[in-house]
Each structure stands twice: as C-alpha cells, then as structure tokens.
Amino acid sequence: MGTGHSNLHLCHHNIVGFTAEITSQISDYPYYSPSPSGALVIPSIVSYNGTTYPVTSIGYSAFLNCSGLTSVTVPSSVTCIDVAAFANCNSLTSITSYSVFPPDQGEDAFKGVDKNIPLNVPAESVQTISQLSRGLTH
C-alpha cells in the first residue's frame, strides 16, 4: 500500500489493490493542516511510483470539518463516499457528481451540510434515478 499526494487541491490518497482512495492528509484529527478551502476537485486518477490508478472512493472522514470548502466535484470513477467524508463541511454551496449511478454513501457522509444546496448531475443520472425509483414503487 502506498501513500502519495495528488497535485489537485490537496487531495491525498492511498493505493488499495488496483485502485486509489482519497483520504485525509493526517490520520488523526484535525486531519488537515491547513484545512482545504474553496472549490475541491477530486481527481479521477492518481499516479504513484509511475503507475496510474483510478480513484474509486472517498475515504472515512476524508474532509471532515473542512468548513472552508465551498464546492465539491466528484468524478464518475468514484463509486463510494465513505462515512463522514464531508461531514460538517457547512460552507458547501454546491456538489457536482459526474456519475450516472449515484455513489454509495456511508452513514453521515454529508452530515451538517445544507440539504438544499444544488446537486449537479449528468442528465443520464436523472433518468437513471427516475427509472430506479419507478421500479421500486411498482
């Protein structure tokens, strides 16, 4: 397992098998020094020791209490947003996800985030969610 830095907006990662997970900078609270702020763009790939890995998850408490974050962009490669990944990021004003299928979310992934902020998704995602919800109600 390797650890490295992405040059995109202070995203740190762990290599797990053949994929990468976005993690916090420090393993103990407060997790960042200084805390990321502004627009956060999660990379879709990271490189470590000359090998490129797809980013498939945002790890446990990865951005917990990063109250200076104003927006988050999640690539389509992310299939899981772990427990408390963005908890208490109470300055978020928008979330953009490029996934057609919504990523699985751990408990309290967005706890403390205003539930009325815009969630921007691809048009296909809206159609997919609509079809899935119709299937669940019939």
Side-chain angles (χ1 to χ4, degrees):
M1 179 188 314
T3 301
H5 297 12
S6 164
N7 59 0
L8 297 174
H9 298 281
L10 296 175
C11 287
H12 299 266
H13 62 273
N14 283 331
I15 304 303
V16 182
F18 298 103
T19 65
E21 174 182 65
I22 298 299
T23 63
S24 57
Q25 176 186 21
I26 305 165
S27 61
D28 296 319
Y29 187 80
Y31 303 116
Y32 281 92
S33 181
S35 184
S37 61
L40 175 69
V41 178
I42 304 293
S44 60
I45 58 171
V46 295
S47 293
Y48 180 73
N49 286 340
T51 303
T52 301
Y53 300 89
V55 173
T56 58
S57 63
I58 301 171
Y60 174 84
S61 299
F63 298 98
L64 174 69
N65 295 325
C66 290
S67 60
L69 290 178
T70 56
S71 66
V72 174
T73 301
V74 179
S76 60
S77 59
V78 170
T79 59
C80 177
I81 300 174
D82 210 342
V83 173
F86 294 99
N88 301 323
C89 293
N90 51 14
S91 294
L92 283 175
T93 58
S94 71
I95 300 170
T96 300
S97 174
Y98 289 104
S99 295
V100 173
F101 292 96
D104 291 334
Q105 290 182 29
E107 185 175 352
D108 296 333
F110 291 94
K111 181 180 181 179
V113 174
D114 182 351
K115 302 295 182 213
N116 295 313
I117 65 170
L119 173 60
N120 304 299
V121 296
E124 310 90 82
S125 180
V126 174
Q127 294 168 350
T128 300
I129 293 168
S130 176
Q131 289 171 349
L132 288 172
S133 65
R134 277 196 306 269
L136 292 174
T137 59
H138 287 95

